[in-house]
Amino acid sequence: MTGLSRRGLMTGAAAAGGALALPAASAAAAGPGPAGAAAARPEAVRVWPNDPRYPGLVSGANQRWVGRPDCVRLVSSTAQVVDAVQEAVDKGLRVAVRSGGHCNEPFVSDRDVRVVIDMSGMAGIHHDERRRAIAVEPGAMLGSVYRTLYKRWGIVLPGGTCPTVGAGGHITGGGYGALSRSRGLTVDHLYGVEVVTVSAEGRARAVIATREPDDPNRDLWWAHTGAGGGNFGVITRYWLRSPDATGSEPAKLLPQAPTEVLLSDVSWSWQDLDEKSFRRLVHNFDAWHARNSAPDSPGRFLYSQLKLQHRSAGTFHMCTQVDTAAPDAEALLDEFLAAVSAGTGVTYRVGDRTRAPWLYAVTQWFGFVEAAISRWKAKAAYVRRTMPDDQIAAMYRHLTRIDYDNATALVNLISYGGRINAVAPGATAVAQRDSHLKILYVSLWTGTGDDDTARHEKWVRDCYADVYAATGGVPRPDGVNDGCYINYADADMADPGLNRSGIPWHRLYFKDNYPRLQRVKAAWDPRDVFHHALSVRTP
């Protein structure tokens, strides 16, 4: 970290998380007047459209979305973020933030965004003795977080399975992954945040908010436990500490990482399946999770993804990880595989079954992360009761359509529940706390033409609308389903031309937590400096 040191930044902040105001802008940004202390502070690197680096900085992993901002600010300290935000506010320029760049939608690449703050230079991970927590900066990629926590202290943050996702957006959206069924969501271990906010008077400052009961900024912490990024300010640091952690020893601040995991990859051939066997297979996967997703279930040590690829792929896969801390992990996997196959009349093919160190599994194993494909459209749903036959039949119809032949279009059924469901819906901003599966609907493609985009978007939208036809074309909350996941952002939900269900987009994502999020928005971003198609609106 350059510029202001971490120790200097923390000096004067209340231990419980009181507001910390930094100088609002450098002399260059503020215009005429005394230079003051801010003039000596190093500025963030500015990248303009004529810079050869510019094309590589105006898009993320989803190459559908390419922005044209006036400038990209490459920041390396909280002070530089304050400067960049203040300058944008003073000049009336819309600002957006990028850390890992894996957003499904063009929130950062919106044509009205004039300044992009690139957080990749803030990737530090360290033990903060004063706060008795692990500090993680937003530009750190999950793979780096996992390696650092494991190698230094043998601990883990139960986050996602893609190592190139940035911590910045992942954690605040309620990130989950292969260890969440046994160890909870990322936000269940979030102790505090540092956020650059903008006051009603237009002044940028860095604020620290924690989960301490007496923290006057506690609501700002709470809003970052599942509402997603781009709502309240620029996150410049997370502090991680499990609620039941005691003492200050870093090896005891977060859950212990598994020593070893049991990995499995099996596949089915579409040639062996008809609609009846397909429906039984999907039902079995769903029903096993419904039976094994209580917070104390022995099945919580198992995580699986059933990747139902379009028939044109020829096969589809199910990838599974079992923490060997589970009582008789081999038997748990065998029972699961048998339960999924029961009554289908078809046999799976074993592609991989091996024991491996957890660090290898989370950073190297092919099972949960497919080869990168540059463009995609995605939708999501929670499942809280076993799916009715009409939903599974709709999946089959669209996965076997002969007028569409994309082998990388899929419906991915993903393990959920377990310890995730031990937390009350209002304790964090993640309101969905009694589901047992998530579903990701996605089409990925490489073509750049408008016809390509329209064709693939149509398949995803048609499939989704058909699966949820009985509830207005969306996964209605509090029924079989429970709305959508904000980290799988889908701007269609806020488009009245595409969401005709009568269910507001914010209910699909946040349910009863939305009014409280609105109050936080009004208090901490009253000028609506930070906004996008699915951001929290002021009341």
Side-chain angles (χ1 to χ4, degrees), residues 240-270:
L240 303 169
R241 188 211 307 162
S242 299
D244 59 352
T246 58
S248 58
E249 184 180 343
K252 296 182 179 180
L253 295 175
L254 288 170
Q256 291 295 300
T259 300
E260 186 181 55
V261 291
L262 177 59
L263 302 173
S264 166
D265 173 60
V266 302
S267 64
W268 289 264
S269 171
W270 272 107

Side-chain angles (χ1 to χ4, degrees), residues 385-405:
R385 297 178 189 162
T386 52
M387 292 180 284
D389 286 344
D390 64 299
Q391 290 190 354
I392 302 174
M395 292 177 189
Y396 180 82
R397 279 195 294 275
H398 293 276
L399 289 167
T400 58
R401 277 170 53 174
I402 60 174
D403 63 337
Y404 183 77
D405 61 355

Side-chain angles (χ1 to χ4, degrees), residues 20 161 281 476 490:
L20 170 66
T161 56
L281 180 72
R476 179 175 61 82
D490 176 16

Side-chain angles (χ1 to χ4, degrees), residues 19-38:
L20 170 66
L22 295 176
S26 68

Side-chain angles (χ1 to χ4, degrees), residues 406-457:
N406 181 12
T408 51
L410 70 152
V411 178
N412 192 3
L413 278 62
I414 306 169
S415 296
Y416 206 66
R419 295 301 302 169
I420 297 168
N421 292 347
V423 177
T428 67
V430 178
Q432 294 87 353
R433 292 289 188 166
D434 66 351
S435 294
H436 61 266
L437 290 178
K438 273 185 180 172
I439 305 181
L440 172 66
Y441 301 79
V442 62
S443 181
L444 303 99
W445 67 94
T446 56
T448 60
D450 290 343
D451 290 343
D452 287 314
T453 297
R455 182 169 71 95
H456 297 300
E457 280 189 335

Side-chain angles (χ1 to χ4, degrees), residues 258-446:
T259 300
E260 186 181 55
V261 291
L262 177 59
L263 302 173
S264 166
D265 173 60
V266 302
S267 64
W268 289 264
S269 171
W270 272 107
Q271 289 186 338
D272 296 339
L273 292 156
D274 57 14
E275 182 174 355
K276 181 179 179 182
S277 56
F278 173 89
R279 289 167 66 173
R280 179 62 184 266
L281 180 72
V282 174
H283 171 76
N284 288 348
F285 185 89
D286 182 18
W288 185 92
H289 283 86
R291 295 193 302 270
N292 290 274
S293 284
D296 60 351
S297 167
R300 71 186 184 277
F301 293 102
L302 183 147
Y303 170 88
S304 188
Q305 295 185 7
L306 179 57
K307 302 179 179 184
L308 302 169
Q309 289 177 256
H310 188 272
R311 188 182 185 100
S312 57
T315 62
F316 59 84
H317 293 250
M318 182 174 73
C319 303
T320 307
Q321 173 182 302
V322 183
D323 183 347
T324 56
D328 202 343
E330 298 279 355
L332 177 59
L333 177 59
D334 288 339
E335 183 272 328
F336 172 68
L337 293 173
V340 173
S341 295
T344 63
V346 296
T347 304
Y348 57 78
R349 293 163 176 80
V350 178
D352 191 17
R353 178 164 176 155
T354 186
R355 285 178 175 251
W358 171 79
L359 187 62
Y360 166 83
V362 78
T363 58
Q364 303 293 330
W365 190 52
F366 66 89
F368 299 129
V369 181
E370 304 292 344
I373 297 177
S374 58
R375 291 166 176 79
W376 70 82
K377 170 64 181 178
K379 293 178 171 288
Y382 289 89
V383 181
R384 60 189 295 269
R385 297 178 189 162
T386 52
M387 292 180 284
D389 286 344
D390 64 299
Q391 290 190 354
I392 302 174
M395 292 177 189
Y396 180 82
R397 279 195 294 275
H398 293 276
L399 289 167
T400 58
R401 277 170 53 174
I402 60 174
D403 63 337
Y404 183 77
D405 61 355
N406 181 12
T408 51
L410 70 152
V411 178
N412 192 3
L413 278 62
I414 306 169
S415 296
Y416 206 66
R419 295 301 302 169
I420 297 168
N421 292 347
V423 177
T428 67
V430 178
Q432 294 87 353
R433 292 289 188 166
D434 66 351
S435 294
H436 61 266
L437 290 178
K438 273 185 180 172
I439 305 181
L440 172 66
Y441 301 79
V442 62
S443 181
L444 303 99
W445 67 94
T446 56

Side-chain angles (χ1 to χ4, degrees), residues 174-196:
Y176 77 104
L179 297 179
S180 291
R181 280 169 51 81
S182 61
R183 293 160 172 83
L185 300 177
T186 56
V187 293
D188 298 339
H189 304 275
L190 182 61
Y191 172 75
V193 287
E194 179 182 72
V195 191
V196 174

